[in-house]
Amino acid sequence: MDALKDIDKPYAEAERIAPLVRRVLARNPSPFTYTGTQTYIVGDSAEVAVIDPGPAEGEHIDAILEAVGTARVIAICCTHTHRDHSPAAAPLKALTGAPIVGCAPLTLDDDGPRADAAFDPDYRPDRVLADGEAIEGQGWTLEAVSTPGHTSNHVCFALRETGAVFTGDHVMGWSTSVVSPPDGDMTDYLASLQKLYEREQDTVYFPAHGPAVEKPRQLVRGMIGHRRQRERQILRQIEVGHRTVAEMVPQMYKAVDQRLWPAAGRSVLAHLLDLERRNLVSRTNDHWTLVAQA
Ligand SMILES: [Zn+2]
């Protein structure tokens, strides 16, 4: 991950990155989180919102509180409930009295397939924002943009005053998003990419990991193209006789860090399920075959 050298990592320090927006980076770097989770503080006046409070680490929470200073936190917003995004919401609520708003909690059956280890099962929102619903503070308005795919409950937040969008893990500049079934859904993910692409008013994306995206629609168009290319690659793999995900991944991800192969396998499966829904492939156990087209 040589790219890490190119980005400075001022952990536990608030940095101004745009009008109305400051960032605090959590010290949880990994192949999945890049330099760590970026918590955003929106608002410069007496009222602020905190987006993706991050992991419940004392150092990180202290840094958020220091950045907030004497302002009042009026909303703690979570884009989704992966463990690197939402666990600090509860302690931050306890310390500030602010409500937790934004994405829905996941409905987890006791032994449900959605209850995997990456999820924060303790997330309890005070208010779930529906698509298009907004919250307002002094000088700012954040609108929820429902973007399922990476997770079924993923929401982006658009800052109406400047055209910035906080994209969580839905769109990031440094990496494509992991889409892991059953909660991750490629059909939804592609629709959510298209949804962002159609928002011509957006000026910049602030993802939860990695640098800001200055040409957002161009990136999204490229990502849609990338997914279509993956799709064609998968169909080709089946054609040449690689019928299981385990056979496809080493062929398709030769150039990628092997630690990421299990996640890549989840994405391939997500594509296959999407292709199955579109009646282009069918499955017998873990073997996939092409559906003959009339
Ligand atoms: Zn995530």
Side-chain angles (χ1 to χ4, degrees), residues 80 82 85 150 169:
H80 65 299
H82 274 152
H85 293 260
H150 171 66
D169 283 1

Side-chain angles (χ1 to χ4, degrees), residues 12-186:
E13 252 176 62
E15 283 177 291
R16 164 153 314 273
I17 55 167
L20 293 172
V21 182
R22 286 171 290 160
R23 169 192 95 135
V24 180
L25 180 62
R27 200 186 295 273
N28 60 340
S30 79
F32 295 100
T33 59
Y34 202 51
T35 52
T37 302
Q38 300 177 114
T39 297
Y40 294 104
I41 298 169
V42 175
D44 289 329
S45 60
E47 295 177 335
V48 300
V50 175
I51 297 180
D52 277 348
E57 298 294 338
E59 175 197 61
H60 185 60
I61 293 170
D62 288 348
I64 295 170
L65 289 174
E66 197 184 312
V68 166
T70 58
R72 194 161 68 96
V73 180
I74 61 167
I76 300 164
C77 306
C78 296
T79 59
H80 65 299
T81 47
H82 274 152
R83 283 185 193 278
D84 54 326
H85 293 260
S86 55
L92 207 56
K93 174 182 171 174
L95 288 162
T96 62
I100 299 170
V101 301
C103 72
L106 287 176
T107 327
L108 304 172
D109 303 331
D110 287 343
D111 55 351
R114 287 170 195 249
D116 83 50
F119 283 100
D120 167 14
D122 301 320
Y123 173 75
R124 301 275 181 281
D126 296 286
R127 184 178 163 202
V128 173
L129 294 181
D131 186 43
E133 262 193 288
I135 51 169
E136 279 176 49
Q138 213 176 77
W140 54 266
T141 314
L142 283 174
E143 178 187 331
V145 182
S146 172
T147 45
H150 171 66
T151 59
S152 60
N153 62 352
H154 197 290
V155 170
C156 295
F157 296 97
L159 178 56
R160 282 192 191 152
E161 284 73 11
T162 69
V165 181
F166 301 91
T167 50
D169 283 1
H170 176 50
V171 175
M172 303 178 281
W174 72 285
S175 164
T176 56
S177 187
V178 172
V179 178
S180 179
D183 192 64
D185 185 301
M186 191 59 75

